[in-house]
Amino acid sequence: MTGAARKPSKRDQTVSDGLATAIHEHRLTPGMKLNEDEVGEIFGVSRTIVRSALQSLSHERLVVIEPNRGAFVAQPSIREAREVFEARALLEPRTAHSAAIRTTPADMDLLKRHIDEEHAAIDAGETGRALRLSGSFHIEIARIADQATIATFIGQLVARSSLVIAMYWRRRNALCESHAHHALLDALAAHEADRAEELMTSHLVDLVSLLELTEPPDGPTSLKEALRTE
């Protein structure tokens, strides 16, 4: 049908997934230009496929496409960063509550594997990979809650959180603390819904505390002001 959107191909998805993973793992950093020709050469695909993949990532707000300039890894503002974590604080505690009611032994095994892989990445010095796995842990909890629409939102928020952390983390250990995930795991295994909700709330507060979400002081407005010695 004329005007219908083209369905993404497997090659589109491969490029999109590859770029997204690199963004989540901070191998592609906020503000980095994503040259279509270079991306196409790396993945062995045409510029048409690269453009489709970049458009897909722009819908997820991981990439910004600027007319006559090209595509860049998104750079969330401080306001956006606060909104991302405020939204997570609204959604994820209740999702953890629901997950605790529904969790199965198979779910627990999957979450434990996520934690083990995250710790292995930290031990290997792969901070970006550990961060991506930490985000996946939160997304899996949303999946277990069996709330598909909310899980989609949380997935998008976790993706944005990766960019926020890349820009604003106060120190290089702004990852989910291991004890926080283990405590959540215990609450989920025991089907302690209220406890899981409380733990997720405090966990997200701790994450925000590791970020420097403050506006920098106003700088000089002119060269004369900057060079004034009095």
Side-chain angles (χ1 to χ4, degrees), residues 87-148:
R88 289 186 65 177
L90 287 172
L91 293 175
E92 290 196 62
R94 291 301 299 171
T95 299
H97 185 284
S98 297
I101 296 171
R102 294 173 173 83
T103 188
T104 67
D107 293 327
M108 295 305 302
D109 288 342
L110 180 60
L111 292 175
K112 287 175 183 175
R113 285 198 298 273
H114 268 287
I115 292 178
D116 290 343
E117 290 176 11
E118 182 184 345
H119 289 174
I122 293 172
D123 292 342
E126 299 174 351
T127 305
R129 181 167 175 267
L131 177 64
R132 176 176 58 80
L133 289 166
S134 175
S136 296
F137 180 89
H138 287 253
I139 292 170
E140 285 299 332
I141 290 176
R143 178 194 61 77
I144 293 166
D146 195 25
Q147 298 168 332

Side-chain angles (χ1 to χ4, degrees), residues 7 32-33 59 115 181 189-190:
K7 184 178 180 180
M32 185 177 289
K33 183 175 176 60
H59 293 320
I115 292 178
H181 279 183

